[in-house]
Amino acid sequence: MHELGHVLSALFLKLKISSVGIAAYPYPHPYVKVAYSDVSWKRYLFFYSGAGMTLLLFILAIFIGIFEYKMIYFAFAIELIIEFNPFYSDFLLVNAKSQRDYYVLNTSFEGSKKYLLFFWIVLIIILLHPKGLQTWLNIG
């Protein structure tokens, strides 16, 4: 669903999709590659649409009530933790113009990346709490 968010936003923004597939490095993962856009708001919308799709489905799952099935909640929790990690995520790719830029951004800890790390740690604590979001949102 994450990659579907990228594909839909690329089509909506009229960005040229150059490939869709599964990359092997640094670990197997699906990807959507588009031509680089000099328009920053389009880049941000494209890169954040994957995490946005996951968040939308997570919120929808809360309202539908399918988190009674613990494995579904656990799968969403792991997905959100992976997607919002400050070391390898779309939040780094949005500012990279090349593969080299990405690796430089990946190894530095400047600017908003500090805040993303804080948010990520809080997200892990909330999602992996023994009662998960039930404690925080009074659901279930």
Side-chain angles (χ1 to χ4, degrees), residues 25-106:
Y25 184 80
Y27 56 85
H29 63 281
Y31 72 91
V32 177
K33 186 175 181 180
V34 297
Y36 182 80
S37 174
D38 288 327
V39 182
S40 63
W41 69 267
K42 284 186 176 187
R43 271 196 325 272
Y44 281 94
L45 191 58
F46 171 74
F47 280 107
Y48 294 167
S49 64
M53 178 68 88
T54 303
L55 279 174
L56 179 68
L57 290 173
F58 184 75
I59 292 166
L60 185 63
I62 289 171
F63 288 113
I64 292 174
I66 63 173
F67 285 152
E68 292 176 13
Y69 304 100
K70 299 294 182 202
M71 291 307 292
I72 294 175
Y73 175 81
F74 183 70
F76 265 107
I78 296 301
E79 180 67 21
L80 288 169
I81 289 168
I82 290 170
E83 284 191 27
F84 285 95
N85 86 75
F87 304 102
Y88 188 82
S89 67
D90 291 341
F91 298 103
L92 291 176
L93 291 170
V94 71
N95 291 315
K97 293 181 182 177
S98 67
Q99 190 76 7
R100 183 180 182 283
D101 282 353
Y102 170 73
Y103 288 112
V104 169
L105 287 167
N106 194 19

